[in-house]
Amino acid sequence: MFGTVVVGVGIAGLARIRDLMNPMPSSPSEHLKLFGFVSRRSFGNINEAKQISLEDALRSKDIHAAFISTENRSHEETIRMFLEAGKHVLVEYPMALSAKAAHELWEMAEQKGKVLHVEHIELLTEEYKQLKKEVAGKDLVKGTLHFTGHVLDENKTGFPAFSGIARLTWLIDLFGDLTVTSATREKQKDKNYSRMTVHFQTANN
């Protein structure tokens, strides 16, 4: 069995704990054993998974890999700690708040002989796979991708572009490299409202 720990218990972390506690029959998850979860908040147990300290997770010889599901801004530091401790790492997208940091982390993983995997789970859904089939072989002339969400704490999630960067990956995966032609941001603090609008061009304009 391959020992694992989940770091962070938001929506993604709770889903990880659920799936590790109840793996699909004959799936690779059956070979993973959840030794616990790490959180800044005090929970005790969640679905029979026990809470352990970060220090214990880093020190444990039974834990071989960490699933990081914390806020964007803490990804880089947490990845570094687990790689330094000799653990494999799976992290929710995005891995870091800059490309430079991401490349440094990949190099570090390579030097340590460990796997560093960034998972963008939306690209694995049936809905997305269907969308990809529908646009295959077609040229994008014009299109709009609009999505909404709660106003996020920028100290934890980073600049607003990072709140939407997972969606931008859809566009690159579907239509190839994109170039930013313009970007604007509107904020209305009294209404707790923020909107970012970005225009892109494909490689063939």
Side-chain angles (χ1 to χ4, degrees):
M1 296 293 284
F2 203 72
T4 63
V5 63
V6 172
V7 184
V9 288
I11 294 171
L14 289 172
R16 295 276 182 209
I17 292 171
R18 179 200 65 207
D19 293 345
L20 286 165
M21 297 294 284
N22 302 285
M24 289 178 63
S26 302
S27 73
S29 298
E30 284 193 317
H31 301 288
L32 301 176
K33 180 178 180 182
L34 180 65
F35 275 88
F37 66 90
V38 173
S39 176
R40 290 187 303 267
R41 295 172 290 170
S42 181
F43 288 98
N45 288 6
I46 297 176
N47 296 339
E48 297 180 21
K50 65 177 182 178
Q51 184 164 3
I52 62 177
S53 70
L54 177 61
E55 292 74 22
D56 286 347
L58 292 167
R59 278 198 303 259
S60 173
K61 290 185 169 64
D62 294 321
I63 293 173
H64 308 102
F67 291 0
I68 298 173
S69 303
T70 57
E71 62 272 4
N72 296 343
R73 191 172 289 280
S74 69
H75 285 182
E76 180 183 345
E77 181 185 2
T78 311
I79 291 168
R80 285 185 192 279
M81 286 191 291
F82 277 96
L83 287 177
E84 285 285 2
K87 317 289 187 191
H88 302 288
V89 176
L90 179 146
V91 61
E92 306 287 344
Y93 192 94
M95 181 166 68
L97 296 190
S98 74
K100 180 177 180 288
H103 286 292
E104 287 174 1
L105 292 170
W106 265 312
E107 285 172 14
M108 183 179 177
E110 195 171 334
Q111 289 165 4
K112 297 278 185 184
K114 298 300 171 185
V115 173
L116 171 54
H117 176 71
V118 186
E119 183 158 287
H120 186 351
I121 203 161
E122 289 176 348
L123 301 184
L124 305 176
T125 63
E126 291 306 315
E127 294 86 349
Y128 183 80
K129 289 176 185 174
Q130 183 59 37
L131 177 61
K132 194 161 184 177
K133 281 182 189 172
E134 288 175 16
V135 303
K138 296 176 182 174
D139 286 328
L140 177 65
V141 177
K142 189 175 182 180
T144 302
L145 177 63
H146 177 242
F147 56 95
T148 60
H150 296 291
V151 176
L152 299 173
D153 181 349
E154 290 185 31
N155 289 325
K156 294 180 179 178
T157 60
F159 188 67
F162 274 90
S163 305
I165 201 166
R167 298 301 195 287
L168 302 185
T169 309
W170 287 14
L171 297 179
I172 292 169
D173 188 54
L174 292 170
F175 305 111
D177 286 345
L178 302 171
T179 302
V180 178
T181 57
S182 67
T184 57
R185 184 183 182 192
E186 175 190 349
K187 286 181 79 173
Q188 296 178 22
K189 279 193 174 177
D190 56 328
K191 295 181 180 177
N192 202 25
Y193 173 84
S194 176
R195 179 172 71 179
M196 177 169 278
T197 305
V198 187
H199 294 96
F200 301 95
Q201 271 194 342
T202 57
N204 60 1
N205 298 318

